Amino acid sequence: MFGRYLSTVGFPQAQTVYYHWRHWYQPGHLWLTYPSHLQHPSSSFSTVRHPSSRPPRPPNPYNWSSWRQTGILPHAQPRRDLQLSAGLMDRCKSEPPQKRRRSTDGRQAGDKSQRSPERSPPKGSRSPKGSPEWLRNVTGTPVPPGTFPSGPNKSPSTPELKRHWEDLSHLCKAAPSMNGGRQKWPFDFSVMSYNILSQDLLCDNTYLYRHCHPPILDWRHRYPNIIKELEQHSADIMCLQEVQEDHYNQQIKPSLESLGYHCEYKRRTGLKPDGCAVVFKRERFSLVSCHPVEYFRRGIPLLDRDNVGLIVLLRPIDPHSSLTNICVANTHLLYNPRRGDIKLAQLAVLLAEISRVAQLPDSSVCPVLLCGDFNSVPWSPLYRFIKDSRLEYDDLPIGKVSGQEENPRGQRILTVPIWPRSLGISQQCQYESRTTDSDLRDLEQAELDGFTKPSIEHCLKLTSAYSHYLKESGHPEITTCHSRTAITVDYVFYSAALGDVMAQAECSVPPEKGLQLLGRLSLVGEDELQKVNGLPNQHNSSDHLPLLTRFRLHPRVDG
């Protein structure tokens, strides 16, 4: 691997190093010998030599001074700026080499399922042909993973993105309720959902940020910007995605704790470096319980990815009112636009756990907040499943589930059922309970009928806090933007109380078991993002925008 990249570097010293490197590391060289337990019996270099009889170890390929000490590069000086060869420069409009690209779920883009960059571009939703012209590469050079495009040391000044607060409180009644002659005021609180962009994922996918000036992609610039943004909005509850574990432990968690927050975190499974965090102000909520959710299930091929969710049950702190608990769920679903079946299965696992955690003694559920990056666009089948509590998926191609794949030709149709019964989750997104033998046959027959119908359901009545269209122009709202796309994939769903401005009557719940939307921080369209050179930029340090909302919880009426 080292030799492949040295052979493409365009200066003579590298070619000299490459020639000697191949000589030292070719099979059969006296220095390159293997332990006896790793050697093949017929190997011509199977003899294990005594260390004293070996030639000296070759120079460290990553240390230029060691090569100068051998006399191979007597007058060479290390170059601090790698220059691409003419062959690579000819590909200034192309993607990085296939073997170098990585998708957000950690798989090499050379895998069979992701060989075509136009079919499944990492971390975006449209092919390069579908991306806005102003988001194309502004540097004129290819950007291999792990490096930033060349550019000036200082970013040119860009205007700040203008977002305003949309106040909806005048549509909600604020009068206190009376109980036993004592007034009970409602409980108002704010919620944020924000994908802060993991630095490791940024470095693995730098070709998505060709429009950015290099200094703004440095974590030393991004981290203080992100913390400043979180502190400025000062949400009572924050659901964060793509939170890198080392940055969380060393920087993000200590900073938020110093601001009065309690932090919970769940890293993605496998070797993935990032995960989801839910943080809340200690003066406003107390933690009842925390429930990490792993979507990876051994033995179930459909659930072989490392995405996760995180659910917390919070108790509002208000000495003057009797308030129900609030269930807050945060997740980051699989990106791959062509695997809607996996996304629906991951969502089913999350909804089943939410239903269990949020259940009240009367079998109803407490107010639910479902936040995160769902890698699905508004009005897609997955989005409608969340909002409508039901999805009929007969003859639905898996690539159309999230609405990101523009060319569904040749795609598989969703199977019936989508996930196997061995998962232990019904088609109503509930954990299947064990019962007595007398009821087992009837229950199995009913469940079998459900597993043969192309439909799934859930019991949560959820509404989106955003309308997904700009009020003034009618253009689509945008929550994420990079060199490939500008769309909405981030959401704040909530249990809407009866009379809520965003909910239909049939999709609402009693006031004490639901939430009323009081306001939200407006989103923007492509025109506004073009003026600030897209995302990330000098002032916004993620390729996502934070969603900020404010809700009202009404007190319980004691019977």
Side-chain angles (χ1 to χ4, degrees):
M1 185 66 71
F2 174 73
R4 181 164 69 90
Y5 293 115
L6 273 182
S7 65
T8 66
V9 178
F11 53 96
Q13 292 89 344
Q15 301 294 340
T16 304
V17 170
Y18 175 56
Y19 171 79
H20 287 276
W21 182 86
R22 288 192 62 184
H23 171 70
W24 261 305
Y25 285 89
Q26 63 181 336
H29 192 276
L30 293 178
W31 179 82
L32 184 63
T33 55
Y34 296 85
S36 57
H37 66 282
L38 295 179
Q39 296 179 12
H40 193 277
S42 61
S43 173
S44 60
F45 50 93
S46 60
T47 304
V48 180
R49 296 172 173 84
H50 191 273
S52 61
S53 64
R54 282 189 185 179
R57 179 180 292 271
N60 182 352
Y62 302 101
N63 188 335
W64 285 92
S65 62
S66 65
W67 289 89
R68 292 197 300 274
Q69 292 171 2
T70 63
I72 295 175
L73 298 176
H75 304 293
Q77 296 295 328
R79 291 287 297 270
R80 299 189 183 276
D81 54 332
L82 295 181
Q83 298 182 6
L84 299 173
S85 64
L88 288 180
M89 289 297 290
D90 291 340
R91 296 195 308 227
C92 63
K93 297 295 184 182
S94 66
E95 301 297 334
Q98 284 281 345
K99 289 187 179 181
R100 294 277 303 207
R101 291 177 51 209
R102 293 177 63 87
S103 64
T104 53
D105 61 350
R107 295 181 177 273
Q108 292 289 348
D111 292 350
K112 183 177 180 180
S113 62
Q114 299 194 20
R115 283 180 181 171
S116 172
E118 293 193 2
R119 287 186 177 181
S120 183
K123 209 172 168 59
S125 67
R126 291 189 288 182
S127 66
K129 297 178 181 178
S131 61
E133 184 66 30
W134 57 273
L135 286 176
R136 304 294 174 83
N137 184 9
V138 297
T139 65
T141 58
V143 188
T147 61
F148 297 132
S150 60
N153 292 331
K154 292 186 178 180
S155 304
S157 179
T158 57
E160 291 192 44
L161 194 62
K162 300 298 183 182
R163 302 177 65 185
H164 64 274
W165 184 256
E166 298 178 354
D167 186 10
L168 306 173
S169 60
H170 62 283
L171 301 175
C172 301
K173 295 180 180 180
S177 61
M178 303 296 294
N179 185 33
R182 186 165 58 94
Q183 288 186 344
K184 289 189 174 183
W185 289 91
F187 182 83
D188 297 350
F189 64 100
S190 55
V191 178
M192 172 189 282
S193 181
Y194 192 10
N195 183 325
I196 65 173
L197 178 58
S198 159
Q199 190 69 16
D200 274 10
L201 292 179
L202 185 155
C203 291
D204 284 343
N205 297 276
T206 49
Y207 63 94
L208 295 179
Y209 310 103
R210 295 168 173 168
H211 60 287
C212 300
H213 293 274
I216 69 171
L217 300 178
D218 193 298
W219 179 246
R220 290 169 296 183
H221 171 85
R222 296 182 58 233
Y223 167 68
N225 258 15
I226 291 172
I227 291 298
K228 178 182 176 181
E229 195 169 20
L230 299 181
E231 185 176 6
Q232 175 187 352
H233 293 308
S234 188
D236 297 315
I237 301 172
M238 294 191 291
C239 295
L240 308 177
Q241 305 89 42
E242 287 195 27
V243 182
Q244 195 164 304
E245 186 177 35
D246 56 344
H247 292 159
Y248 171 79
N249 290 325
Q250 299 168 17
Q251 296 174 297
I252 298 174
K253 182 180 180 181
S255 295
L256 293 178
E257 287 180 336
S258 69
L259 295 174
Y261 286 95
H262 175 96
C263 303
E264 295 290 338
Y265 178 78
K266 172 58 183 174
R267 183 179 63 84
R268 285 199 286 167
T269 51
L271 300 178
K272 304 301 186 296
D274 65 289
C276 295
V278 177
V279 304
F280 57 89
K281 288 185 177 178
R282 294 188 294 267
E283 64 181 12
R284 306 226 62 202
F285 296 94
S286 62
L287 180 65
V288 178
S289 58
C290 179
H291 309 267
V293 181
E294 297 182 356
Y295 299 141
F296 178 86
R297 302 297 171 93
R298 192 175 303 278
I300 300 181
L302 189 64
L303 290 170
D304 63 348
R305 308 302 171 94
D306 295 311
N307 306 81
V308 296
L310 182 61
I311 302 172
V312 296
L313 191 63
L314 303 180
R315 178 175 294 115
I317 298 176
D318 189 341
H320 305 294
S321 298
S322 176
L323 300 165
T324 186
N325 294 336
I326 300 174
C327 180
V328 181
N330 180 24
T331 191
H332 188 180
L333 297 184
L334 176 74
Y335 160 71
N336 192 337
R338 298 176 62 85
R339 294 309 304 267
D341 51 344
I342 296 179
K343 297 184 186 186
L344 286 173
Q346 292 180 345
L347 184 58
V349 172
L350 183 66
L351 293 173
E353 184 66 6
I354 293 174
S355 299
R356 184 187 70 82
V357 173
Q359 188 170 24
L360 296 172
D362 62 358
S363 297
S364 62
V365 294
C366 69
V368 172
L369 283 162
L370 175 55
C371 306
D373 180 347
F374 292 81
N375 276 313
S376 302
V377 301
W379 321 120
S380 64
L382 186 143
Y383 173 91
R384 290 192 176 277
F385 173 55
I386 295 175
K387 280 197 63 177
D388 299 343
S389 303
R390 183 179 179 86
L391 175 64
E392 302 283 349
Y393 61 88
D394 192 24
D395 293 330
L396 179 63
I398 62 175
K400 281 195 170 185
V401 169
S402 64
Q404 294 170 287
E405 182 66 28
E406 294 183 346
N407 184 12
R409 289 183 303 174
Q411 292 184 3
R412 293 187 293 109
I413 303 298
L414 283 173
T415 60
V416 182
I418 298 174
W419 56 85
R421 293 193 64 184
S422 59
L423 181 58
I425 294 177
S426 70
Q427 300 301 281
Q428 290 72 40
C429 296
Q430 301 274 351
Y431 289 122
E432 294 184 311
S433 58
R434 304 299 177 186
T435 186
T436 60
D437 293 339
S438 58
D439 298 327
L440 189 58
R441 283 190 297 272
D442 294 338
L443 181 61
E444 285 183 346
Q445 184 60 44
E447 290 176 346
L448 182 60
D449 293 340
F451 271 88
T452 58
K453 296 179 181 179
S455 66
I456 51 177
E457 304 173 6
H458 67 83
C459 66
L460 307 175
K461 297 180 179 181
L462 299 173
T463 300
S464 174
Y466 283 83
S467 61
H468 314 309
Y469 291 97
L470 300 176
K471 184 178 180 180
E472 296 80 9
S473 64
H475 293 163
E477 294 176 336
I478 290 172
T479 69
T480 183
C481 170
H482 48 67
S483 292
R484 277 196 178 263
T485 192
I487 54 171
T488 286
V489 295
D490 306 276
Y491 303 93
V492 175
F493 296 104
Y494 65 101
S495 302
L498 189 64
D500 179 77
V501 294
M502 297 296 292
Q504 300 177 351
E506 64 272 14
C507 297
S508 55
V509 296
E512 68 276 8
K513 295 182 180 178
L515 303 171
Q516 285 185 315
L517 181 64
L518 299 179
R520 62 198 173 202
L521 185 63
S522 67
L523 288 168
V524 297
E526 280 193 17
D527 292 341
E528 292 84 352
L529 286 170
Q530 183 176 0
K531 295 176 183 177
V532 299
N533 197 34
L535 299 174
N537 57 48
Q538 183 178 355
H539 306 286
N540 307 91
S541 286
S542 174
D543 57 354
H544 291 249
L545 292 174
L547 308 186
L548 183 63
T549 56
R550 190 166 184 82
F551 293 100
R552 171 164 295 162
L553 174 65
H554 287 275
R556 290 195 301 251
V557 179
D558 298 331

